[in-house]
Amino acid sequence: MDALEWIVPCPKKATFGISHLELRDAGVQGDAAAASAVGELRRALPPAPGAPALVEVRVDSGAGLPPEGYTLTAGDGRVTIVGADPAGAFYGAQTLIALAAVPCSEHVACVPESDVRDWPDLPLRGTIEGFYGTPWTHADRMDHLRFSARHKLNAYVYAPKDDPFHRERWREPYPEEELARLAELVAEAAARHVRFVFALSPGLSMVYSDPAERAALRAKAEQVWQAGIREYALLFDDIPPELSHAPDREAYGTAEGASASAHAAVCRDFAEHFLSPHGADRPLTMVPTDYAGTARTAYRDRLAAELPADVLVWWTGSDVVVGTISAYDMTAAAASYGHRVALWDNFPVNDFDFSRVFLGPLVGRATDLDEVPLEGITANPMVEAAASRIALTTVADYAWHLAAYDPARSHERAIRLLPGAAELLPLVEACSAWPPGDDQSPALTALCAAALEGGPYEVLRAELVRLAELPTGVPGPIAAELARWVSAARDMGTAGLAALDLLTGAGTLAAAEEALARAETHEANVLRKVIPPFARQVLERVTA
């Protein structure tokens, strides 16, 4: 199999020969700047005692590579990885680990003769735990950071809406136990070259003009600074557009867009009186209240004029949850805010409908982004942390190498690489539609329509059997999270088969009615708008 099919994200330039280098007993050495890459390789490819150092990793800022770029060469009995910086060396190590995992009938672990030169397109590539609903567990987050590193995602934003200390009780310090968990996450992220961005969402209750409130915001930031946080975001999303407190109305006025002045003032205060004195390396990121669409508004005009120039603005696209985002949309949005933007992509998030999971690839995102003022993408995942990785793997593929991104091919790679996904392929296919309002399965809808017109029935029957016979004992966290949807899919497939049997004269009315009723008892939504309508049409036809 083509070695590229096992590397996500897809490298910029890669050629492979037919010879292979055995890595089972290969030692690893490297300079101090590449320590994280060396450690990663030694964990993934533990050498035998006294094994020769066949893998060398180093950092060379003069290698002519863009930031986070690397080269990987394998041949003549050696592998050499050169990173433009420590992150680049680490990503080169990830590519070598991926190559070593390619199935080979002759070696336990090997790498083909290789020449790879690679770097990312987007500076910001990551995820934002920004959904409503049950936040991820600490274990989920630790696993997610490791997943992010594996696929060269370089940012994780901590912003769970239902963490009370993030939003409703933003003034209150974290309890020591939770602070310790944050510190562990920060350390894990740093070790894996993932930027840990800590977000606070004070807008539900903050009196923006009150110096004591601003001091409380800085105090909260100071607490997590002591835990290792070095990058911050302030979120003003999903709050009333008008100023709620009399002191703020007095300070900023009541004209349309006045709240932007308040939000800009808080951001300016935070940057001047917290980030700057602490010597923070990265500027603030913020989410405006007016965070979707591309048109200029009174709010955006004020934000453009009053928000510090280096603040990055998050934006969700032409709407909150969208199917398509064009280069024009991105450029127009940046112009409307007067700032560089990052895409807060509400994909594959499911907090608007917890009955569904979205397991398909990222689609509809522009790939020709030359001269587009887009810093990057942070994808907002589902409550189901492990199952989100199917979609997020394709986000990583997109953000790293825009021109090569092919949603279908990227999805195939994701399914191949994630344990449990291939075994549940019929479910993954049934839950791959995006955006959420699209037909859940155009192919199955067409097959059902054809069956109602007289056939053929064989392909529809085969697809329904695949659903009805989904395995229930698949190991791993993805299958565990999707168990409810597996059960629903099995019953939905059985309902479709019973209806098809009735349509073709091989089944009974009672069996079809019972199967449909059982399928519709599930809260988990799998093809609810595809199979039940088909079954009902069959029932109506038979009983007419």
Side-chain angles (χ1 to χ4, degrees):
M1 180 177 289
D2 184 357
L4 281 176
E5 296 304 305
W6 293 82
I7 305 174
V8 175
C10 180
K12 285 287 194 309
K13 300 176 181 179
T15 57
F16 302 104
I18 58 174
S19 62
H20 288 72
L21 172 65
E22 173 68 69
L23 293 178
R24 181 176 55 181
D25 295 325
V28 181
Q29 66 180 12
D31 59 23
S36 60
V38 171
E40 193 82 350
L41 287 168
R42 286 175 176 167
R43 284 188 292 272
L45 306 167
L54 303 182
V55 180
E56 179 187 2
V57 191
R58 67 178 186 271
V59 172
D60 183 356
S61 59
L65 290 162
E68 301 181 284
Y70 66 92
T71 60
L72 185 158
T73 55
D76 297 326
R78 296 191 63 80
V79 179
T80 303
I81 297 171
V82 179
D85 45 35
F90 184 83
Y91 294 147
Q94 296 299 332
T95 296
L96 180 59
I97 292 167
L99 286 170
V102 177
C104 178
S105 60
E106 299 178 21
H107 306 97
V108 174
C110 66
V111 59
E113 182 182 12
S114 309
D115 186 2
V116 180
R117 186 176 181 87
D118 197 16
W119 64 92
D121 282 330
L122 296 180
L124 173 64
R125 311 173 307 280
T127 55
I128 179 162
E129 187 186 338
F131 50 78
Y132 293 90
T134 305
W136 286 352
T137 66
H138 184 66
D140 287 337
R141 292 173 183 138
M142 293 289 282
D143 286 344
H144 178 75
L145 292 171
R146 298 174 189 124
F147 160 83
S148 296
R150 197 158 55 246
H151 297 295
K152 306 182 177 76
L153 292 168
N154 69 353
Y156 162 76
V157 184
Y158 180 88
K161 291 289 195 296
D162 289 346
D163 170 3
F165 299 100
H166 159 74
R167 190 171 173 85
E168 290 184 1
R169 295 160 57 186
W170 62 270
R171 299 174 187 83
E172 300 178 31
Y174 276 98
E176 287 302 317
E177 184 178 348
E178 293 195 35
L179 190 66
R181 285 195 287 266
L182 277 176
E184 187 177 359
L185 291 170
V186 171
E188 184 72 17
R192 297 180 181 278
H193 297 276
V194 178
R195 293 160 51 186
F196 190 101
V197 184
F198 179 78
L200 282 168
S201 187
L204 287 175
S205 60
M206 186 178 189
V207 182
Y208 304 114
S209 57
D210 185 347
E213 292 279 73
R214 297 182 184 185
L217 190 66
R218 296 194 300 270
K220 182 65 166 281
E222 178 64 37
Q223 187 201 25
V224 297
W225 179 278
Q226 297 303 321
I229 300 292
R230 293 295 181 268
E231 190 169 354
Y232 293 82
L234 297 179
L235 315 187
F236 301 98
D237 56 323
D238 300 347
I239 59 175
E242 307 85 10
L243 293 170
S244 303
H245 303 284
D248 289 339
R249 293 193 295 270
E250 186 173 327
Y252 306 111
T254 56
E256 184 181 3
S259 61
S261 294
H263 300 158
V266 171
C267 290
R268 189 166 54 250
D269 178 89
F270 191 84
E272 292 177 359
H273 298 295
F274 182 81
L275 295 180
S276 181
H278 281 76
D281 292 332
R282 295 186 183 274
L284 182 68
T285 305
M286 68 91 69
V287 175
T289 305
D290 179 3
Y291 58 75
T294 59
R296 286 182 56 182
T297 64
Y299 179 99
R300 296 188 190 196
D301 286 346
R302 287 206 185 197
L303 206 64
E306 300 176 35
L307 191 67
D310 64 347
V311 174
L312 183 66
V313 175
W314 261 312
W315 163 80
T316 64
S318 56
D319 207 338
V320 179
V321 179
V322 294
T324 301
I325 303 176
S326 69
Y328 172 83
D329 292 336
M330 298 172 188
T331 303
S336 73
Y337 292 115
H339 284 70
R340 192 169 179 83
V341 297
L343 177 61
W344 173 316
D345 202 327
N346 279 316
F347 167 84
V349 69
N350 63 344
D351 60 0
F352 50 85
D353 185 355
F354 291 122
S355 73
R356 297 187 66 182
V357 285
F358 300 100
L359 308 178
L362 183 70
V363 294
R365 304 305 184 251
T367 55
D368 185 2
L369 300 185
D370 291 343
E371 307 304 320
V372 174
L374 181 75
E375 183 72 13
I377 179 174
T378 48
N380 191 12
M382 300 184 289
V383 171
E384 291 76 23
S388 293
R389 293 174 200 157
I390 300 173
L392 295 178
T393 301
T394 72
V395 172
D397 213 10
Y398 165 81
W400 185 273
H401 192 179
L402 296 165
Y405 182 65
D406 179 315
R409 187 175 181 184
S410 185
H411 198 221
E412 290 175 2
R413 290 177 179 145
I415 292 166
R416 182 182 303 117
L417 291 171
L418 294 169
E423 293 87 339
L424 299 179
L425 183 58
L427 175 67
V428 172
E429 292 171 348
C431 297
S432 285
W434 190 267
D438 277 9
D439 187 329
Q440 288 180 287
S441 176
L444 202 55
T445 296
L447 289 171
C448 289
L452 290 167
E453 294 297 321
Y457 308 114
E458 292 78 10
V459 177
L460 174 59
R461 183 177 297 279
E463 291 302 309
L464 294 171
V465 167
R466 292 177 70 222
L467 286 169
E469 295 182 353
L470 270 166
T472 57
V474 176
I478 290 178
E481 288 182 349
L482 295 177
R484 293 191 296 127
W485 286 271
V486 168
S487 181
R490 287 169 58 91
D491 282 348
M492 201 61 79
T494 300
L497 287 169
L500 187 59
D501 285 343
L502 182 61
L503 183 66
T504 58
T508 67
L509 180 63
E513 289 176 333
E514 181 182 349
L516 178 58
R518 185 169 59 252
E520 292 189 310
T521 62
H522 292 275
E523 181 183 352
N525 179 349
V526 180
L527 301 172
R528 191 178 291 164
K529 293 186 177 181
V530 179
I531 292 178
F534 165 69
R536 286 197 184 87
Q537 289 183 70
V538 172
L539 291 171
E540 291 170 2
R541 181 176 297 185
V542 171
T543 57

